[in-house]
Amino acid sequence: MHQRGSFVSPLLSGVFCQCRSEEYQGSDPGGGGRTLGSATSLSEHRHDESCDSPHHCPVCGGPEQEHRLKVLFQILDVNRDGGICVNDLTIGLKKLGVHRTEHELKVHASRSNFMGIAGGFAQMIREGGLRSLWRGNGINVLKIAPESAIKFMAYEQIKRLIGSNQETLGILERLVSGSLAGAIAQSSIYPMEVLKTRLALGRTGQYSGMKDCAKHIFKKEGLKAFYKGYIPNMLGIIPYAGIDLAVYETLKNWWLQRFATDSADPGVFVLLACGTMSSTCGQLASYPLALVRTRMQAQAATQEGSPQMTMTGLFRHIVRTEGAIGLYRGLAPNFMKVIPAVSISYVVYENLKITLGVQSR
């Protein structure tokens, strides 16, 4: 939080070891129970000794910083949804004897949570140097090859099954074919998608490589962690892949019929333009689900030890704390990345089809 030294540091020093409070036993930390119901009750049960004293609690093992942070998080997470919004802060800080208006807290939120593209680049370089800009790119390169190959292969095969004896497919058939192809491709590489997100979010030096990251996730969270965010991902990839592939081929065929009746090759620039248009339409339709998927993948890395929010819980939390526009946070840099990548992949796809003699409907 911005200017956290102004009131967050004193809070940490004031958080007592809740394990030794008799009233805390069986109470609901942060839920408004007897012990934490008011600033007065909080101060009544503090240790005489400072939290930084050498005393060791027989339950938690000692007043380590991590334990104190977890206790503070539980106090501030008033509605127990695994996140701290402005409303939680207003109520939670009053419990701790710190009074801030909602307006003051929203100044803090705008300065700390909303980061522009330039600010994001600057922070990453400051934290881990230029190499941090490519963190997670190794696994990204490894996953993109099988993902694209499976998607385009499945798309062509499903079109043949759906099209039957039709000479040319309509946009609805292409939409269904693209949706199914995208779902098949994403399902086959999804654990690599989770690894990519974790590596990208990790601190410099946190993981020695892809294998170390995978071992760390498996050891701490189990096999199911590799499929976090799978449901919103599938719900998002179905409209994205369907719209992307269907719009791309429809636009390309329209251009060929109107402007190049004597040629089956529209040219690189037309393919790039069609890919840009189709990718933009797909992104706008599916981005909120992609955002929720990424947040679900990142939860364990950024909120270790905290309750994990569900897909619907995350949707509600984002809309409540950031408004509907929060569902499109990060859309601009995502466009900057996806549009050229998808457009180039379509150029390669078309040229390979010509080389291999594949006829599309």
Side-chain angles (χ1 to χ4, degrees):
M1 183 175 285
H2 185 67
Q3 293 181 332
R4 57 183 176 182
S6 59
F7 58 89
V8 173
S9 295
L11 289 183
L12 284 178
S13 63
V15 172
F16 65 109
C17 179
Q18 299 189 27
C19 300
R20 292 188 60 187
S21 168
E22 290 182 4
E23 284 194 48
Y24 178 75
Q25 304 300 326
S27 69
D28 184 12
R34 290 182 300 164
T35 305
L36 301 176
S38 66
T40 305
S41 62
L42 176 65
S43 60
E44 285 175 357
H45 296 289
R46 284 179 180 158
H47 285 316
D48 292 331
E49 304 172 80
S50 167
C51 284
D52 292 325
S53 68
H55 172 77
H56 287 277
C57 170
V59 180
C60 70
E64 293 92 343
Q65 181 81 343
E66 182 181 352
H67 174 72
R68 291 158 63 195
L69 286 168
K70 285 182 180 178
V71 172
L72 180 60
F73 182 88
Q74 289 174 327
I75 294 170
L76 296 178
D77 183 18
V78 176
N79 61 7
R80 309 289 288 166
D81 65 354
I84 299 174
C85 62
V86 171
N87 185 55
D88 287 341
L89 279 177
T90 305
I91 298 170
L93 289 174
K94 283 181 182 176
K95 290 180 181 180
L96 295 169
V98 178
H99 295 275
R100 289 290 187 276
T101 66
E102 187 169 324
H103 174 72
E104 288 177 305
L105 293 171
K106 284 182 177 177
V107 171
H108 282 291
S110 63
R111 289 183 182 179
S112 62
N113 293 336
F114 292 90
M115 181 181 292
I117 297 172
F121 274 121
Q123 181 176 323
M124 290 171 68
I125 293 170
R126 206 163 43 239
E127 190 270 332
L130 282 172
R131 288 184 62 186
S132 67
L133 298 177
W134 279 268
R135 188 181 292 152
N137 189 52
I139 191 75
N140 188 57
V141 171
L142 284 178
K143 85 173 182 66
I144 202 68
E147 180 186 7
S148 297
I150 292 169
K151 181 178 74 173
F152 287 125
M153 179 195 72
Y155 181 57
E156 292 295 335
Q157 295 302 320
I158 294 168
K159 280 198 300 181
R160 282 176 170 74
L161 290 173
I162 290 177
S164 182
N165 297 321
Q166 295 179 50
E167 184 69 24
T168 304
L169 297 182
I171 192 166
L172 182 60
E173 288 87 357
R174 293 196 183 105
L175 186 66
V176 172
S177 300
S179 298
L180 291 173
I184 291 168
Q186 275 287 297
S187 296
S188 64
I189 56 88
Y190 193 75
M192 298 172 80
E193 191 77 46
V194 175
L195 268 179
K196 181 195 76 173
T197 301
R198 292 293 185 89
L199 283 166
L201 288 173
R203 301 181 304 275
T204 299
Q206 183 175 357
Y207 307 112
S208 60
M210 291 179 279
K211 187 177 179 182
D212 179 52
C213 181
K215 284 171 64 177
H216 180 84
I217 295 171
F218 181 75
K219 184 178 178 181
K220 296 199 76 174
E221 304 168 56
L223 188 63
K224 66 179 183 180
F226 291 97
Y227 289 90
K228 278 185 178 176
Y230 179 79
I231 293 176
N233 184 67
M234 285 298 104
L235 292 175
I237 201 66
I238 287 172
Y240 171 74
I243 291 170
D244 183 25
L245 287 161
V247 170
Y248 166 76
E249 250 190 350
T250 300
L251 286 175
K252 184 195 73 172
N253 289 340
W254 173 83
W255 194 93
L256 286 172
Q257 291 167 9
R258 184 166 185 134
F259 300 105
T261 53
D262 58 341
S263 173
D265 182 13
V268 172
F269 291 111
V270 173
L271 294 177
L272 288 172
C274 292
T276 298
M277 291 284 290
S278 66
S279 178
T280 300
C281 293
Q283 285 287 311
L284 289 172
S286 65
Y287 190 79
L289 285 159
L291 177 71
V292 169
R293 174 205 68 191
T294 303
R295 294 236 185 144
M296 289 182 73
Q297 291 172 352
Q299 272 188 111
T302 56
Q303 301 176 15
E304 199 165 336
S306 301
Q308 302 296 294
M309 295 176 72
T310 62
M311 179 182 74
T312 53
L314 265 172
F315 264 115
R316 286 197 298 267
H317 179 73
I318 293 169
V319 172
R320 186 176 66 249
T321 58
E322 305 170 40
I325 197 170
L327 294 171
Y328 287 90
R329 182 182 285 189
L331 183 62
N334 195 67
F335 272 143
M336 293 169 65
K337 176 197 77 168
V338 171
I339 288 176
V342 171
S343 300
I344 292 168
S345 72
Y346 276 128
V347 173
V348 175
Y349 166 59
E350 292 293 346
N351 281 281
L352 282 175
K353 280 204 302 183
I354 294 170
T355 303
L356 297 172
V358 177
Q359 296 293 323
S360 289
R361 291 182 172 183

